[in-house]
Amino acid sequence: MNKQRAQEIASSPEMANVTYNGVPIYIQHVDQTSEMARIYPLGQPDREEEVSINSLSEH
């Protein structure tokens, strides 16, 4: 995924179908400079982590 699309998804009030390693996730924040995203698996906000935007897939 590119950083512009990741930012659009993070800013949108609607849920997008995005996965990280095959797991559906929610994008909380996108850091444009480092190209990292703060994500967590859907329904598990306590499992927050920072990952590369390139490792995210939109379906």
Side-chain angles (χ1 to χ4, degrees):
M1 174 176 298
N2 68 49
K3 61 184 175 181
Q4 177 62 37
R5 181 61 183 140
Q7 184 62 55
E8 289 170 3
I9 292 170
S11 300
S12 174
E14 296 184 22
M15 285 295 295
N17 187 4
V18 180
T19 60
Y20 172 68
N21 290 339
V23 177
I25 57 98
Y26 177 78
I27 302 175
Q28 228 177 353
H29 174 76
V30 173
D31 185 324
Q32 296 282 343
T33 305
S34 68
E35 297 192 13
M36 298 292 282
R38 188 178 320 123
I39 66 162
Y40 61 80
L42 294 182
Q44 299 178 334
D46 57 320
R47 295 192 47 214
E48 184 179 296
E49 62 183 304
E50 293 264 338
V51 300
S52 169
I53 292 169
N54 294 331
S55 64
L56 301 178
S57 298
E58 183 176 14
H59 304 275

